[in-house]
Amino acid sequence: MKPLLPATQELLNVARRVVWFKEPQEALSDPVHFLAHVMTYGTIEDLAAIESVAGKEEFCEVLDTAPPGIFDKHSWNYWNLKCGRKPTPPLPVRSYKQSPKIVPLTENSEYDELLQLAGIGSSGLGDLAENHDKYLYNLKQ
């Protein structure tokens, strides 16, 4: 996909609004991510602002490589319909190459030190809840 430069004031304003958690220049540096946000959160005015740099071809390309977690069901269905995709494919989902390791808090391990640093102590989460209540309600020990 072609880069969305030059970064006009109009595009920077759209980026600031739809990718609120990044600086506008950074948002524009990743066209697929930026367009996916416009396709999900953009207004008619936002779409008019980007029409000089993105059209149907770019929107369809975004659907091919859509990052998981951006599109909602309504936007996903709408843009797939606009791109002539029937039936609509499933929304993109995150894939995990490896399951996270779950370690019980009662197991003796390197986590014991972390528990002690957190003020939980050796008796487990009961101390944490008690300490939390004492802190929250300013109770005397």
Side-chain angles (χ1 to χ4, degrees):
M1 176 173 288
K2 64 183 178 185
L4 295 178
L5 296 177
T8 64
Q9 190 58 47
E10 200 171 29
L11 282 180
L12 291 170
N13 289 339
V14 172
R16 187 174 291 110
R17 202 182 74 65
V18 299
V19 191
W20 60 93
F21 51 89
K22 289 185 177 182
E23 290 297 319
Q25 288 281 12
E26 183 184 355
L28 292 177
S29 70
D30 184 351
V32 170
H33 188 262
F34 171 68
L35 287 175
H37 275 83
V38 172
M39 293 164 75
T40 303
Y41 303 110
T43 63
I44 297 295
E45 292 81 14
D46 296 335
L47 291 171
I50 67 165
E51 72 182 351
S52 65
V53 293
K56 184 177 178 179
E57 182 180 321
E58 286 78 18
F59 293 137
C60 294
E61 186 178 338
V62 168
L63 294 176
D64 288 337
T65 59
I70 296 176
F71 282 95
D72 57 44
K73 188 175 181 180
H74 174 79
S75 300
W76 182 251
N77 287 332
Y78 173 80
W79 286 103
N80 273 282
L81 181 65
K82 290 286 282 184
C83 288
R85 298 173 184 211
K86 293 181 186 176
T88 299
L91 277 164
V93 294
R94 287 182 173 87
S95 63
Y96 298 97
K97 295 183 190 282
Q98 170 180 350
S99 298
K101 180 181 177 187
I102 298 174
V103 178
L105 290 177
T106 57
E107 181 179 297
N108 289 332
S109 66
E110 68 271 10
Y111 295 101
D112 289 341
E113 183 179 346
L114 293 174
L115 294 175
Q116 292 214 352
L117 289 172
I120 296 173
S122 60
S123 62
L125 292 177
D127 281 349
L128 178 62
E130 184 180 328
N131 290 339
H132 176 266
D133 288 345
K134 286 179 184 175
Y135 174 76
L136 188 62
Y137 301 110
N138 202 14
L139 300 173
K140 302 265 184 206
Q141 289 188 2

